Amino acid sequence: MTIKDIAKACGVSVSTVSRVLNNHPDVSQSVRERVQAMVESSGYIPNNSARDLVRTQSDAIGVVVRGRGNLFFSAMVKTISREIDSLGYTMVLHFIESDDDEVMAGAILEREKKLRGLLFLGGRFDYSAETLAPIGVPFVCCTYTNCFGTLSDSDYSSVSVDDYQTAYRAVKTLIDLGHRRIAVVLPDCADRSISELRYKGYRAALRDSGIPFDADLLVETDGCFEMPETYAGTGRLIESGADFTAVFTLSDTTGMAAIKALEDHGRHVPEDCSVIAIDGITVSEYVTPTLTTMVQPVEEIGRESVRILADMIEQRCTSRHLRLEAQLRQGGSIRRI
Amino acid sequence: MTIKDIAKACGVSVSTVSRVLNNHPDVSQSVRERVQAMVESSGYIPNNSARDLVRTQSDAIGVVVRGRGNLFFSAMVKTISREIDSLGYTMVLHFIESDDDEVMAGAILEREKKLRGLLFLGGRFDYSAETLAPIGVPFVCCTYTNCFGTLSDSDYSSVSVDDYQTAYRAVKTLIDLGHRRIAVVLPDCADRSISELRYKGYRAALRDSGIPFDADLLVETDGCFEMPETYAGTGRLIESGADFTAVFTLSDTTGMAAIKALEDHGRHVPEDCSVIAIDGITVSEYVTPTLTTMVQPVEEIGRESVRILADMIEQRCTSRHLRLEAQLRQGGSIRRI
């Protein structure tokens, strides 16, 4: 069966069938469904070169990666690259700084590279329909959700762990080992993004165990997720004379930087201070002590994000929200006190 | 001045001017030069959308990245991405395993994505004209050279440190501190690639200091540059009872894995054993002790590789070979004995 046969059987023009096959928006829903049903029942396989001729869009998927030193995202990009390839798309990778606006970066990329869809690796959690208006293609929030925002769930997809729960479990792990003076080093506790959500998990774990919050044990690093800033922040905490037996950080690399600051100040981990983090990257298994951390399923998050985006692009779904579970990796950086 | 004016002034057709502007090969050298001179003197700026219509090639540069856990390459990809963007190209990133053939991966990518050029991040050093025949676009060997191969220097470009010299200097640093029993943990000492070259640097440094080579101090990790294999290899070395006071590894991540293996076997670094490496990634600054390493100029290697490739694509040069200098980072993982 050729494209002409399908057009004839549906009583539409060949160009209309083309538009449906290429997900062109300018087709009525009823015609789209009719053509799709016919394509499916006929087993018609679009000829690639013919499709190339009529295709108005590229095969490009934009991947906007936030944060220059984010090794968790570096690991994920490899999985995402493989998955995008295997589904026949082309990855267009774009790095932004921690404080750049991923929506604007994505919108520019969309126009320049004629994207079919966007994956955001890291972003704000407070999108509204207005803030997302510049984005004209399907997108997936990869590693985060929109829990502070007003954007309708049906207007985007997301794949992530539950940040609040994961932070809660990390801090609860420390509390269960007898810690009550638990410091937290994080970028910003009110960023309407990942920091705020994990910070809320920290606060909730303290509260549920009857431990009062102590502002002296909170260090913010000016919105920055990088190692040098976390090292400096942990140093300030130690030098402030604050009394704490454990530190919770939001990522493995910042956890490693915190351990380094503690060691450089003569406080051994875990003997003098416990450290727990979130991520589970390979390199943190090969430091001494091995970092105890909540391991995010990095491969699954990357793979599912791409699959969902492809489903959205190819109109097999309009949106999907997937919450995955982090698992505690028993390292050597925490101890019972 | 429009493309028609340029065509008229050169006495050629508009499509010939288009072919020159888009580096289409099917134009005689004399016509190409005439048109290019006219374009330059006229200050004509090609209209992008018009150029899109006549362009037969994409604006894609393929970047083939070798090794799944290579954090040095992860850091470099960010610089490369920024530079490719700023020169108006699109990066097509492709990851391969340590033992995959980058030439074949590049050739497939070239055809699938209609590449204008290729950057290889890591590869073999023994190319011949025959092995490179599948590659039909300009390419740059990024972080390596072709020192074991027969491919003519004028047929490709390269940007890297001098691997032999850098390894030599690392090992000489240990020797200058009194070490004579220096182990080396590496993927493969005869891979016709980076391992072999750095291994030769290690051997030369020993030889020039009158230290006999001891095969008991050599550990190969089956061609693998990853942390788990290096950890296991270092463990075998320790358990063999071999007598050594220092370890040289070829990368920061493998250096970190070696330190972890030593510590897990009760040998403290640097008190009981010194460790030196090559790379200089951020994360190895934040382990305890800070890894002493030969820092490669990662940003410069990435940036210059892209610039040279763009020069080749746009026919401003046919090839260029750039050797950059690594600098010793004084960490805490080596000591005088």
Side-chain angles (χ1 to χ4, degrees), chain A residues 68 77-78 81 85 89-91 93-95 113 227-228 231 256 260 263 283 285-288 290, chain B residues 68 74 78 81 85 89-91 93-95 113 227-228 231 256 260 263 283 285-288 290:
Chain A
R68 92 193 100 92
V77 163
K78 290 171 200 181
S81 165
D85 273 1
Y89 290 92
T90 295
M91 177 172 78
L93 190 61
H94 186 76
F95 294 96
K113 308 299 183 187
M227 299 182 89
Y231 178 84
M256 290 168 67
K260 177 74 168 170
E263 295 280 344
V283 75
E285 277 185 69
Y286 291 92
V287 292
T288 302
T290 300
Chain B
R68 93 193 99 94
S74 295
K78 291 172 198 181
S81 165
D85 272 0
Y89 290 91
T90 295
M91 177 172 79
L93 191 61
H94 186 76
F95 294 96
K113 308 298 183 187
M227 298 181 90
Y231 178 85
M256 291 167 67
K260 178 74 169 171
E263 295 280 344
V283 76
E285 278 186 66
Y286 291 91
V287 292
T288 301
T290 300

Side-chain angles (χ1 to χ4, degrees), chain A residues 25 35 57 67 88 99 113 118 149 156 158 160 175 190 204 206 252 282 324:
Chain A
V35 171
Q57 287 170 295
D99 54 356
K113 308 299 183 187
L118 269 164
Y156 75 106
S158 69
S160 73
I175 295 170
L206 295 182
D252 276 15
T282 301
L324 298 166

Side-chain angles (χ1 to χ4, degrees), chain B residues 263-294:
Chain B
E263 295 280 344
D264 283 357
H265 283 79
R267 294 186 65 169
H268 293 301
V269 177
E271 295 80 359
D272 304 323
C273 184
S274 292
V275 176
I276 196 165
I278 297 176
D279 271 350
I281 58 175
T282 301
V283 76
S284 71
E285 278 186 66
Y286 291 91
V287 292
T288 301
T290 300
L291 186 64
T292 302
T293 189
M294 301 297 297

Side-chain angles (χ1 to χ4, degrees), chain A residues 75-150:
Chain A
M76 190 176 288
V77 163
K78 290 171 200 181
T79 301
I80 287 174
S81 165
R82 206 165 36 229
E83 195 66 24
I84 287 178
D85 273 1
S86 78
L87 295 181
Y89 290 92
T90 295
M91 177 172 78
V92 176
L93 190 61
H94 186 76
F95 294 96
I96 61 172
E97 299 292 319
S98 315
D99 54 356
D100 282 347
D101 178 354
E102 74 281 0
V103 173
M104 203 42 64
I108 292 169
L109 205 64
E110 179 189 331
R111 273 137 197 81
E112 282 184 2
K113 308 299 183 187
K114 302 185 176 62
L115 302 180
R116 300 290 301 277
L118 269 164
L119 276 185
F120 292 114
L121 266 63
R124 291 167 61 89
F125 292 51
D126 63 348
Y127 297 142
S128 66
E130 290 68 40
T131 54
L132 265 295
I135 305 293
V137 291
F139 67 96
V140 176
C141 298
C142 179
T143 71
Y144 66 110
T145 61
N146 188 41
C147 55
F148 295 114
T150 56

Side-chain angles (χ1 to χ4, degrees), chain B residues 286-334:
Chain B
Y286 291 91
V287 292
T288 301
T290 300
L291 186 64
T292 302
T293 189
M294 301 297 297
V295 181
Q296 300 197 59
V298 56
E299 300 248 333
E300 199 177 354
I301 294 174
R303 198 176 55 235
E304 293 303 320
S305 294
V306 176
R307 288 183 183 171
I308 290 172
L309 183 60
D311 283 349
M312 294 168 78
I313 292 170
E314 294 160 25
Q315 303 186 330
R316 284 187 296 269
C317 78
T318 52
S319 73
R320 200 171 152 215
H321 296 275
L322 190 59
R323 247 6 98 239
L324 298 166
E325 188 93 350
Q327 301 290 341
L328 179 68
R329 180 175 82 198
Q330 297 283 1
S333 66
I334 65 175

Side-chain angles (χ1 to χ4, degrees), chain A residues 137-172:
Chain A
V137 291
F139 67 96
V140 176
C141 298
C142 179
T143 71
Y144 66 110
T145 61
N146 188 41
C147 55
F148 295 114
T150 56
L151 187 69
S152 162
D153 274 3
S154 60
D155 286 343
Y156 75 106
S157 292
S158 69
V159 180
S160 73
V161 298
D162 182 326
D163 285 295
Y164 175 92
Q165 264 311 324
T166 306
Y168 186 102
R169 287 170 57 204
V171 176
K172 188 68 167 53

Side-chain angles (χ1 to χ4, degrees), chain A residues 29-42:
Chain A
Q29 191 55 29
S30 67
V31 168
R32 185 181 302 281
E33 282 168 11
R34 192 141 42 96
V35 171
Q36 280 170 339
M38 181 59 67
V39 166
E40 274 166 36
S41 68
S42 72

